Amino acid sequence: ISQDGTDAKDNHALIMKYRGVSMHPEVDMAIEDIVNESVVGGQEPIALKMENLKVSDSIKNKIREEFDTVLNKMNFVELGHDIFRRWYIDGRLYHHLVVDETNQKQGILDIRPIDSARIRKVKQVKKKKDEATGASLVESVNDFYIYQEKPGGTNQGVKLSNDAVSYVTSGLLDIDRKRIVSHLHKALKPINQL
């Protein structure tokens, strides 16, 4: 990996680089300041503002109830600081949304965090050749996630459907606009120069 992390072979290597940088005392103190300013522990850290939402009060109440349910399942009041810190460092956050396939009306039963370095999104594109023009046509696209206990190993991993995983990114892209990067990406070169 180069000093700025741009030649990292895959997301796993890049995430491990971010985690390594976050262990430096100066970087750790800066991250703690950012996280402490963003998430206040021990109280309701986030809330919905729906004053400008043009729907009935009953729908707003249902949205609030579901929002509170998700926060409770994530234990966000207690773990919000750690969740935000992981997102800030890794540049992405994954959660497995557990549902009962036999009774989907129960909704989400549990929300389990997934290590960002152990999961990747896979897109299988099935193509066929157009007989008349010879052009390659996309017949279907199948998206899913693969969770591997040991990334880069020989094990195949566990396949998770697209709708069973919640995925939030930093919103930042590398210079080629092809890879999600962390908020720490700009710190890679300066920390290596220290």
Side-chain angles (χ1 to χ4, degrees):
I1 298 175
S2 70
Q3 285 188 343
D4 64 358
T6 54
D7 65 351
K9 291 184 181 181
D10 58 10
N11 285 334
H12 177 266
L14 197 55
I15 289 169
M16 298 320 293
K17 185 74 173 169
Y18 295 146
R19 290 178 183 177
V21 166
S22 74
M23 299 303 289
H24 288 269
E26 298 86 0
V27 177
D28 183 54
M29 287 186 335
I31 292 170
E32 276 303 311
D33 287 346
I34 291 166
V35 174
N36 288 336
E37 289 293 322
S38 301
V39 179
V40 178
Q43 62 183 15
E44 199 65 37
I46 54 177
L48 291 176
K49 288 186 134 188
M50 294 189 278
E51 295 86 31
N52 296 328
L53 187 60
K54 293 177 174 58
V55 295
S56 69
D57 287 342
S58 66
I59 292 176
K60 287 181 184 180
N61 288 335
K62 287 179 183 178
I63 292 171
R64 278 190 192 95
E65 286 173 17
E66 291 303 318
F67 183 75
D68 290 341
T69 300
V70 169
L71 286 182
N72 289 334
K73 288 188 186 300
M74 293 177 68
N75 195 10
F76 201 85
V77 172
E78 296 297 320
L79 301 177
H81 181 274
D82 297 331
I83 293 169
F84 185 84
R85 182 179 172 86
R86 273 187 328 194
W87 170 80
Y88 189 84
I89 293 171
D90 291 353
R92 65 208 83 215
L93 193 63
Y94 295 90
H95 283 90
H96 182 209
L97 308 175
V98 180
V99 296
D100 182 358
E101 293 294 329
T102 60
N103 188 2
Q104 292 186 357
K105 288 185 179 184
Q106 286 182 319
I108 298 171
L109 301 176
D110 195 13
I111 300 175
R112 298 178 185 157
I114 301 174
D115 184 352
S116 300
R118 297 174 188 242
I119 190 167
R120 63 187 167 91
K121 189 166 188 174
V122 176
K123 184 179 281 196
Q124 287 181 332
V125 180
K126 186 175 180 184
K127 295 182 179 182
K128 70 176 184 176
K129 198 168 197 169
D130 187 356
E131 303 272 335
T133 63
S136 184
L137 301 174
V138 175
E139 195 171 288
S140 65
V141 177
N142 185 18
D143 291 343
F144 56 91
Y145 292 91
I146 298 286
Y147 174 80
Q148 291 180 299
E149 193 62 38
K150 294 182 181 178
T154 57
N155 61 340
Q156 294 296 315
V158 177
K159 183 178 177 180
L160 299 169
S161 68
N162 218 8
D163 55 355
V165 176
S166 167
Y167 174 51
V168 180
T169 70
S170 65
L172 303 175
L173 299 171
D174 66 359
I175 196 163
D176 297 328
R177 304 193 61 77
K178 293 183 180 177
R179 185 187 337 221
I180 302 294
V181 296
S182 164
H183 287 278
L184 293 181
H185 196 75
K186 294 175 191 167
L188 292 179
K189 188 171 182 179
I191 200 67
N192 284 326
Q193 291 175 341
L194 282 176

